[in-house]
Amino acid sequence: MEHEIAKAKVLIESLPYIREFNHKTVVIKYGGHAMVDEELKKNFALDVILLKYIGLNPVVVHGGGPQINKFLEKMQITSNYIQGMRVTDGETMDVVEMVLVGKVNKEIVGLINHCGGKAVGLSGRDGDLVQAKKMKMLGKPEAENAPPELIDLGRVGEVTKVNPEILNTLDAQDFIPVIAPVGVGEDGQAYNINADLVAGAIAAELDAVKLILLTDVEGVKDREGNLLSSIRKDSIEQMIENRVISGGMIPKLRCCASALESGVNKAHIVDGRQEHAILLEIFTHKGIGTEITA
């Protein structure tokens, strides 16, 4: 009986959050280990379905780097990276789009539908959802007073505009959108875009109450390795300068900061390796990851 009472207490604890977030949009970037572990994949699908059933509007943006690498290796296409970004020529872009849109996206949609939800798969090219331009990356100058070198990453893009019309249509019909991070340029060409950036841009356009980035780390940590449960947006650049934050966490936090500046209420960096990570972060007092506030 005590075990059952504990379950009831969890439901009561979540009640204020369910009330607060009713009819609000939550954008979730889905990636990392949570996309490859079978049990975590099912947990993710159930979490998203539950969000929809209790009155939230979840929007999923997914990655797929490991799956892309696997296909490129099979096709004997070498992957080159510059400053952590995949150089994407025309041939690589074809594989990226095939894997993200044709395979990974459909697997996620199929799993959500199989578990009792109503999901629809999209890429940024559908309905001009994610409009993009070629990303410009600057390298280190060759000489001390020389201008920085312009690096050509091929068909790597950045978001210029999000057209939410198709998402609003799906929301009105109670569908869960699942979006592959492929954008479309003015010339109609596809662009490979970082999934965190796409999720942040969509969250800003939809005035999302939350942006949640699922990762393979517990969250943001201090110098001693302790998890920071909450940080303020205006402290991020100082933490980077002081090297408290480094590596792949830097673009994630800058993505969160940009979303907050554009009107998103809160952003969260959450360990996707934790079962039901999304529910624990949204509906419990303490949460499990790092919350970034304006």
Side-chain angles (χ1 to χ4, degrees), residues 26-145:
V26 176
V27 177
I28 304 162
K29 186 283 179 117
Y30 179 41
H33 197 68
M35 284 187 67
V36 295
D37 182 278
E38 292 301 321
E39 191 64 27
L40 291 175
K41 285 161 67 174
K42 184 177 180 181
N43 287 338
F44 173 81
L46 293 172
D47 286 0
V48 170
I49 293 167
L50 180 60
L51 293 181
K52 192 68 175 179
Y53 276 141
I54 62 179
L56 284 77
N57 301 319
V59 176
V60 177
V61 179
H62 65 83
Q67 294 90 334
I68 293 169
N69 288 340
K70 186 182 294 185
F71 267 80
L72 288 172
E73 288 172 10
K74 285 183 179 179
M75 299 177 70
Q76 298 182 332
I77 299 174
T78 302
S79 294
N80 296 314
Y81 292 87
I82 299 176
Q83 297 181 26
M85 303 294 291
R86 185 194 304 274
V87 178
T88 309
D89 59 15
E91 187 178 28
T92 303
M93 186 65 227
D94 289 341
V95 176
V96 167
E97 190 166 20
M98 176 185 70
V99 174
L100 289 179
V101 181
K103 187 176 189 299
V104 177
N105 186 273
K106 301 315 171 191
E107 287 178 354
I108 298 168
V109 169
L111 182 59
I112 293 174
N113 290 339
H114 177 72
C115 290
K118 288 172 57 181
V120 172
L122 303 166
S123 84
R125 300 180 78 178
D126 293 316
D128 281 348
L129 171 59
V130 178
Q131 297 173 34
K133 65 178 181 180
K134 185 181 178 71
M135 177 179 282
K136 294 181 180 179
M137 177 176 284
L138 298 178
K140 294 181 180 179
E142 294 182 359
E144 186 174 340
N145 297 320

Side-chain angles (χ1 to χ4, degrees), residues 72-284:
L72 288 172
E73 288 172 10
K74 285 183 179 179
M75 299 177 70
Q76 298 182 332
I77 299 174
T78 302
S79 294
N80 296 314
Y81 292 87
I82 299 176
Q83 297 181 26
M85 303 294 291
R86 185 194 304 274
V87 178
T88 309
D89 59 15
E91 187 178 28
T92 303
M93 186 65 227
D94 289 341
V95 176
V96 167
E97 190 166 20
M98 176 185 70
V99 174
L100 289 179
V101 181
K103 187 176 189 299
V104 177
N105 186 273
K106 301 315 171 191
E107 287 178 354
I108 298 168
V109 169
L111 182 59
I112 293 174
N113 290 339
H114 177 72
C115 290
K118 288 172 57 181
V120 172
L122 303 166
S123 84
R125 300 180 78 178
D126 293 316
D128 281 348
L129 171 59
V130 178
Q131 297 173 34
K133 65 178 181 180
K134 185 181 178 71
M135 177 179 282
K136 294 181 180 179
M137 177 176 284
L138 298 178
K140 294 181 180 179
E142 294 182 359
E144 186 174 340
N145 297 320
E149 177 191 4
L150 184 62
I151 299 172
D152 186 3
L153 295 171
R155 302 260 287 277
V156 174
E158 55 185 323
V159 180
T160 57
K161 182 181 178 182
V162 173
N163 178 8
E165 183 178 355
I166 191 169
L167 299 180
N168 294 333
T169 300
L170 291 173
D171 176 41
Q173 298 298 320
D174 287 329
F175 283 101
I176 299 168
V178 179
I179 303 164
V182 175
V184 58
E186 289 184 354
D187 55 1
Q189 284 195 329
Y191 283 91
N192 179 21
I193 310 177
N194 179 278
D196 290 341
L197 299 181
V198 173
I202 289 175
E205 181 63 35
L206 296 179
D207 293 324
V209 68
K210 289 185 181 294
L211 167 65
I212 299 175
L213 306 182
L214 292 183
T215 70
D216 281 346
V217 295
E218 294 177 50
V220 182
K221 296 183 178 181
D222 62 17
R223 289 187 184 278
E224 287 71 44
N226 301 310
L227 179 66
L228 298 171
S229 60
S230 181
I231 59 175
R232 293 174 59 88
K233 172 180 68 69
D234 54 14
S235 70
I236 290 174
E237 290 303 321
Q238 185 68 43
M239 293 173 76
I240 294 172
E241 188 176 324
N242 294 337
R243 298 187 178 180
V244 177
I245 300 168
S246 60
M249 189 58 72
I250 294 175
K252 288 185 182 297
L253 281 171
R254 283 179 170 160
C255 167
C256 291
S258 177
L260 292 169
E261 288 171 1
S262 300
V264 174
N265 191 33
K266 288 182 180 179
H268 304 257
I269 295 178
V270 179
D271 189 351
R273 300 168 299 179
Q274 170 70 54
E275 289 186 32
H276 303 296
I278 298 170
L279 301 184
L280 291 170
E281 181 66 13
I282 296 178
F283 296 123
T284 61

